[in-house]
């Protein structure tokens, strides 16, 4: 659990950014401190240590930033606290806010292709909702087998094609779907994980799986949008797995999604706070040799 407070939580302290400048010789200690400060897993923290200088915390109260810097320095690292202008919009989209961090391999891919900051913010929001949705499914129907890894990776990458078709971040279009799947496959992503980039916008195909449906639901409900046809398909799958009456499943799912949708205004504000322009990296990065995502 992150130990920092939200900006303005106490006394309206001015926001600050904590930047890890050098890791130093005690990498495990620095990783442990970063985990306590941010709530991120060890793998993600180790990934960040390889990208110094890197923002560890963004827009936190000044006193919390100073405490974080002291903790990192005590672990042997070099760290500084300063204003939010020290980091790029892409860094802020990947670090700022209460949403869970994206999987390290996805964050690495977004940086590599120079993803627009708004795309990174969108993927974080949908991934975070997908995490909640998968956990709710697990609790509601423990015997229903759901590929959690596939759902979360799919949610985290479903719109990756918009790094190529940037106009579709703020306007209509489906060119990003096929392009996104091709991009992921070219980077060595397994077809079972890359498929979500192409399937998240359609759920009427008979081959659509529960995992596909969950990614599509997360991609809608994060902004408060409810799609009856889509949600009915999820209800049908859950009713078949649990043996419960369909109306009971509907009420349970509807109640959960209603709670998620109630936070849509905050998510939309976070989403629109980032520009529809490319972040760190360049379009040329899209032509690099294929590698693991």
């Amino acid at each position: 659990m992150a130990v920092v407070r939200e900006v303005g939580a106490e006394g309206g302290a001015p926001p600050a950014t904590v930047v890890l400048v050098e890791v130093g010789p005690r990498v495990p200690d620095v990783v442990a401190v970063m985990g306590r400060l941010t709530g991120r897993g060890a793998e993600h923290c180790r990934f960040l240590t390889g990208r110094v200088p890197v923002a560890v915390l963004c827009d936190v109260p000044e006193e919390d930033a100073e405490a974080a810097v002291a903790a990192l320095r005590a672990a042997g690292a070099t760290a500084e606290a300063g204003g939010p202008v020290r980091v790029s919009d892409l860094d802020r989209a990947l670090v700022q806010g209460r949403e869970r961090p994206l999987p390290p391999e996805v964050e690495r891919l977004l940086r590599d292709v120079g993803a627009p900051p708004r795309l990174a913010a969108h993927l974080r929001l949908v991934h975070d909702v997908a995490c909640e949705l998968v956990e709710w499914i697990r609790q509601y129907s423990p015997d229903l087998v759901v590929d959690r890894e596939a759902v979360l990776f799919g949610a985290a990458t479903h719109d990756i094609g918009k790094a190529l078709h940037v106009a579709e971040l703020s306007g209509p279009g489906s060119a990003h779907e096929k392009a996104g799947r091709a991009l992921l496959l070219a980077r060595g992503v397994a077809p079972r994980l890359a498929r979500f980039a192409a399937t998240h916008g359609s759920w009427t195909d008979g081959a659509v799986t529960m995992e596909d449906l969950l990614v599509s639901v997360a991609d809608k409900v994060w902004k408060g949008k409810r799609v009856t046809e889509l949600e009915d398909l999820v209800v049908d799958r859950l009713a078949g797995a649990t043996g419960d009456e369909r109306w009971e499943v509907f009420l349970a799912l509807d109640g959960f999604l209603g709670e998620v949708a109630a936070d849509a205004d905050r998510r939309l504000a976070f989403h629109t706070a980032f520009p529809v322009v490319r972040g760190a990296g360049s379009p040329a990065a899209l032509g690099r040799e294929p590698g693991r995502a």
Side-chain angles (χ1 to χ4, degrees):
M1 212 42 179
V3 299
V4 296
R5 297 161 290 173
E6 291 187 31
V7 176
E10 292 183 18
T17 296
V18 176
V19 178
L20 179 66
V21 180
E22 293 182 6
V23 181
R26 295 157 51 194
V27 178
D29 292 342
V30 174
V31 168
V33 170
M34 290 174 65
R36 291 197 299 271
L37 292 172
T38 67
R40 292 170 180 252
E43 180 184 3
H44 204 116
C45 291
R46 279 193 295 271
F47 166 67
L48 290 177
T49 61
R51 300 194 63 84
V52 293
V54 65
V56 176
L57 298 169
C58 289
D59 288 354
V60 297
E62 183 178 8
E63 61 187 272
D64 288 341
E66 292 174 353
V69 167
L72 288 166
R73 289 176 177 173
T78 301
E80 299 176 355
V85 294
R86 300 177 63 121
V87 295
S88 70
D89 286 326
L90 179 58
D91 284 321
R92 290 166 62 79
L94 291 169
V95 176
Q96 190 176 16
R98 68 179 68 171
E99 276 66 34
R100 296 168 178 84
L102 291 169
E105 65 272 23
V106 175
E107 183 171 322
R108 187 180 302 114
L109 174 60
L110 292 175
R111 293 183 186 278
D112 193 33
V113 301
R118 186 170 296 180
L119 173 59
H122 172 68
L123 294 176
R124 274 190 71 197
L125 290 163
V126 177
H127 171 263
D128 190 67
V129 169
C131 289
E132 295 183 28
L133 182 55
V134 169
E135 177 58 21
W136 183 86
I137 293 287
R138 185 190 68 80
Q139 293 184 21
Y140 185 82
S141 180
D143 295 332
L144 178 62
V145 178
V146 173
D147 188 340
R148 182 179 186 275
E149 176 197 9
V151 173
L152 299 189
F153 187 88
T157 59
H158 71 283
D159 270 351
I160 189 67
K162 291 183 180 180
L164 296 171
H165 298 276
V166 180
E168 294 184 11
L169 272 171
S170 54
S174 59
H176 69 279
E177 295 173 2
K178 183 178 179 179
R181 181 177 182 275
L183 173 61
L184 292 174
L185 291 174
R187 299 274 165 165
V189 175
R192 75 178 183 88
L193 299 177
R195 76 175 193 268
F196 296 97
T199 64
H200 65 275
S202 175
W203 44 84
T204 57
D205 191 309
V208 166
T209 66
M210 183 64 159
E211 289 78 11
D212 294 304
L213 295 176
L214 295 179
V215 171
S216 296
V217 169
D219 190 33
K220 299 298 183 184
V221 76
W222 76 270
K223 57 185 176 182
K225 186 173 183 179
R226 306 289 300 275
V227 181
T228 301
E229 177 189 16
L230 172 59
E231 293 176 16
D232 281 347
L233 293 173
V234 176
V235 169
D236 290 340
R237 303 284 179 108
L238 283 173
T242 63
D244 293 341
E245 293 290 337
R246 193 181 182 284
W247 66 266
E248 293 179 304
V249 179
F250 168 80
L251 289 177
L253 180 63
D254 182 65
F256 168 74
L257 295 180
E259 292 177 1
V260 174
D263 201 24
D265 287 345
R266 181 194 62 81
R267 295 192 195 96
L268 285 166
F270 178 81
H271 180 260
T272 56
F274 297 96
V276 187
V277 293
R278 291 195 180 278
S282 67
L286 299 174
R288 293 179 183 174
E289 290 297 317
R292 297 299 299 177

